[in-house]
Amino acid sequence: MTDHVDVIVVGAGLSGVGAVAHLQDRCPDLTWTVLEAREAMGGTWDLFRYPGVRSDSDMFTLGYAFRPWTQTTAIADGATIRRYIAETARERGIDRAVRFGHRVVAAEWSSATATWTVTAETAAGAVELTCRFLFACTGYYRYERGYEPVLPGADRFAGTLVHPQHWPDDLDWAGRRVVVVGSGATAVTLVPALARTAAHVTMLQRSPSYVLSVPTRDPLARKLFGGRLPLRVAAAVVRARNIALVTMLYRLSRRRPALVRRRLLDAARAQLPPGYDVDRHFSPAYDPWDQRLCVVPSGDLFKAVRAGDASVVTDRIATLTEHGVALASGTELPADVVVTATGLSLQMLGGATLRVDGREVDLGTAVVYKGVLLSGVPNFALTFGYTNASWTLKADLAATYVCRLLNHMRAHRHAVVVPVDPPSDELAPLINLRSGYVARAADRLPRRGPAGPWQATNSYPRDLPVLRWGRIADRYLRFSPAPVPTAGVPECQESHLHGTTRHEGGFPGVTGGVAS
């Protein structure tokens, strides 16, 4: 007998915990469980443990709308974010219904029974569960390993070579010379953190990124928190202000890139030593927001460079030597530790395969509907957060929409929903960035269309009315009732899922329940 629930949520990170919280609030009669591949909660924030790891979105928008961030710290470290997720899950009892160590490897939809059969690998072997609706909250990083280009001479380097995604607990860099290869968010985070105790840290980049300094503590939060406004109201005000600021910056970057570029470079120049070659080391060849902006709290990267504890070198690697990194220019950077902050590898659905009636779903040809559902895939949703703003802003909206969809289906006695008739022309990868990690995985990403519900807007103000209040039924969604008979799902099946009870009120053709 396989375990059966109404909704299976895959992933117990920021998105997965948020999704269950919305199910609890908006769909209290549905049963659910969470399958998590790792042995701990937190997802990305449990995986990444390199020095200085932190958010690059402010916590007022990275935090949940239903559990506002009420500290004045805008940019939080990874451990703080991990605690925030765990505390949210514990307060709501979500942690008691998470199946840890369950790595989903496959999910098969059967139109005959209107159910998903989900296969998960565990230490004890493979297990199967069934559900009416599958909600993937897995992010898009490959957890097993990041992107590691071949470095010539790596086999003869006498020092320590490490990738940030798998940072050794016992690595000691105090008093040692460190070269960090890369110029993205991970690199600009690592350099000032390592520079506090290292002999010297060099950020070696092939090409620069835009770097934006933001206050570690939010000035408006410091003013409002502890004042006359109730804390939740004050937090909502700060959250709304930050959403507006990020939205305006992105729109201005798209409409007047030269102006934003000039302002970013002027801001960097003001925080670096006089005469510093900003054009070489902090002036990218692309426009702002063609790739993500790198955020540094209170200018910590610029401070490390100004103090002489860190430096930036823009060059190409010729080869690693026994004692450092030889550059294409002919110079050599001495190094005891080389950190390859060269980027991430993308992987959709945690590597799981989807099949619909025996046919494998090619994610690279599927088109997203309202940024949440996939064309041709029944009773399935995925969380894919914003790349130009906080991930959680879109995650909250996606979960809200899924709950509204489920309630609509129950109210109208629908058992199945599937997006149909997607566009076939002018399709583009879901992620609207020119970053290397996106280009390397473009053929594996779902597509977005040019208009309508197939257009992934990447805009919270545009998505808010559509996903939270917009009409559910339209000509692109095909609804159907439960198949008759509903073979394969016993009407009174006992649930073996920790923390669930069952009673009438779920999907048509299956009993409902509530997660305790």
Side-chain angles (χ1 to χ4, degrees):
M1 181 183 292
T2 58
D3 289 334
H4 181 82
V5 287
D6 295 318
V7 183
I8 289 178
V9 175
V10 184
L14 195 61
S15 304
V17 170
V20 173
H22 283 280
L23 285 170
Q24 288 177 323
D25 292 343
R26 299 171 182 268
C27 305
D29 291 333
L30 296 184
T31 59
W32 51 266
T33 194
V34 183
L35 304 182
E36 168 55 50
R38 298 171 62 78
E39 296 295 341
M41 191 168 292
T44 297
W45 299 107
D46 179 65
L47 173 70
F48 291 114
R49 301 295 184 101
Y50 57 82
V53 60
R54 53 172 171 74
S55 64
D56 59 357
S57 297
D58 70 275
M59 287 302 300
F60 304 98
T61 57
L62 190 68
Y64 301 117
F66 58 83
R67 189 174 185 264
W69 181 256
T70 55
Q71 300 179 35
T72 59
T73 303
I75 304 298
D77 60 68
T80 299
I81 300 170
R82 193 166 61 250
R83 283 195 303 272
Y84 173 77
I85 298 169
E87 288 169 359
T88 303
R90 186 167 56 251
E91 287 176 4
R92 289 174 164 262
I94 297 171
D95 57 338
R96 298 195 299 272
V98 176
R99 289 192 170 197
F100 294 105
H102 281 59
R103 181 176 180 269
V104 174
V105 295
E108 172 92 23
W109 170 262
S110 169
S111 294
T113 60
T115 57
W116 283 100
T117 298
V118 179
T119 304
E121 291 182 346
T122 73
V127 298
E128 286 189 347
L129 303 91
T130 59
C131 65
R132 292 296 190 185
F133 198 95
L134 184 59
F135 197 175
C137 299
T138 57
Y140 58 83
Y141 297 149
R142 183 176 182 178
Y143 279 19
E144 287 80 9
R145 67 175 184 267
Y147 176 62
E148 297 185 76
V150 176
L151 296 180
D155 56 339
R156 68 172 183 266
F157 178 56
T160 303
L161 188 63
V162 59
H163 191 283
Q165 193 161 321
H166 303 286
W167 194 271
D169 292 336
D170 59 351
L171 180 60
D172 182 13
W173 62 90
R176 305 175 76 187
R177 299 163 300 179
V178 182
V179 172
V180 176
V181 181
S183 61
T186 302
V188 302
T189 298
L190 274 164
V191 170
L194 298 173
R196 296 187 188 109
T197 57
H200 188 79
V201 180
T202 302
M203 187 169 83
L204 173 59
Q205 57 183 15
R206 187 170 55 184
S207 58
S209 300
Y210 290 106
V211 180
L212 173 66
S213 177
V214 299
T216 303
R217 296 188 176 276
D218 190 284
L220 182 60
R222 295 177 68 178
K223 182 178 180 179
L224 295 182
F225 291 3
R228 294 183 177 182
L229 286 176
L231 191 55
R232 289 184 67 90
V233 174
V237 170
V238 176
R239 178 184 174 91
R241 188 279 312 264
N242 287 3
I243 291 172
L245 285 177
V246 170
T247 300
M248 286 190 295
L249 175 59
Y250 180 76
R251 288 179 177 176
L252 187 61
S253 298
R254 299 289 81 188
R255 294 171 183 172
R256 300 188 63 185
L259 171 63
V260 175
R261 175 188 180 88
R262 186 168 63 251
R263 293 293 178 85
L264 289 170
L265 297 188
D266 287 346
R269 190 173 288 109
Q271 298 177 78
L272 290 163
Y276 192 88
D277 195 347
V278 172
D279 290 337
R280 177 172 176 78
H281 300 307
F282 287 95
S283 179
Y286 55 85
D287 286 335
W289 277 117
D290 282 351
Q291 299 183 26
R292 287 185 66 99
L293 300 184
C294 293
V295 172
V296 292
S298 300
D300 60 0
L301 174 66
F302 300 124
K303 290 177 181 177
V305 172
R306 197 165 60 241
D309 298 326
S311 56
V312 180
V313 173
T314 305
D315 207 329
R316 292 179 178 269
I317 297 175
T319 183
L320 268 63
T321 66
E322 184 178 359
H323 300 295
V325 183
L327 305 178
S329 61
T331 60
E332 182 173 346
L333 300 175
D336 305 301
V337 179
V338 172
V339 182
T340 54
T342 46
L344 305 162
S345 292
L346 267 59
Q347 183 181 66
M348 297 300 299
L349 310 182
T353 58
L354 295 182
R355 289 183 177 273
V356 174
D357 295 328
R359 173 185 57 85
E360 185 168 340
V361 176
D362 180 1
L363 293 176
T365 61
V367 186
V368 293
Y369 172 88
K370 294 185 178 178
V372 182
L373 310 183
L374 283 183
S375 62
V377 184
N379 288 25
F380 176 83
L382 79 166
T383 297
F384 205 98
Y386 295 124
T387 54
N388 64 337
S390 161
W391 178 274
T392 315
L393 289 177
K394 181 59 177 289
D396 268 341
L397 289 181
T400 298
Y401 174 78
V402 167
C403 291
R404 294 180 62 230
L405 176 64
L406 294 176
N407 286 334
H408 174 90
M409 292 171 67
R410 294 174 64 205
H412 294 273
R413 304 298 295 171
H414 298 313
V416 181
V417 60
V418 57
V420 296
D421 300 327
S424 57
D425 298 325
E426 299 182 57
L427 300 180
L430 179 56
I431 304 179
N432 185 25
L433 293 175
R434 299 180 184 177
S435 305
Y437 70 92
V438 177
R440 290 191 297 269
D443 61 335
R444 302 191 299 275
L445 291 172
R447 320 301 283 180
R448 56 186 169 88
W454 309 103
Q455 180 186 25
T457 68
N458 222 24
S459 168
Y460 182 81
R462 292 177 64 184
D463 284 339
L464 177 63
V466 172
L467 296 179
R468 183 169 291 179
W469 301 297
R471 182 184 176 193
I472 293 293
D474 64 24
R475 68 186 182 91
Y476 299 111
L477 288 185
R478 179 180 298 156
F479 295 95
S480 56
V484 180
T486 54
V489 181
E491 188 71 15
C492 297
Q493 182 181 38
E494 179 186 358
S495 173
H496 297 280
L497 298 174
H498 180 67
T500 62
T501 58
R502 304 191 65 78
H503 59 80
E504 291 297 326
F507 278 104
V510 63
T511 54
V514 55
S516 60

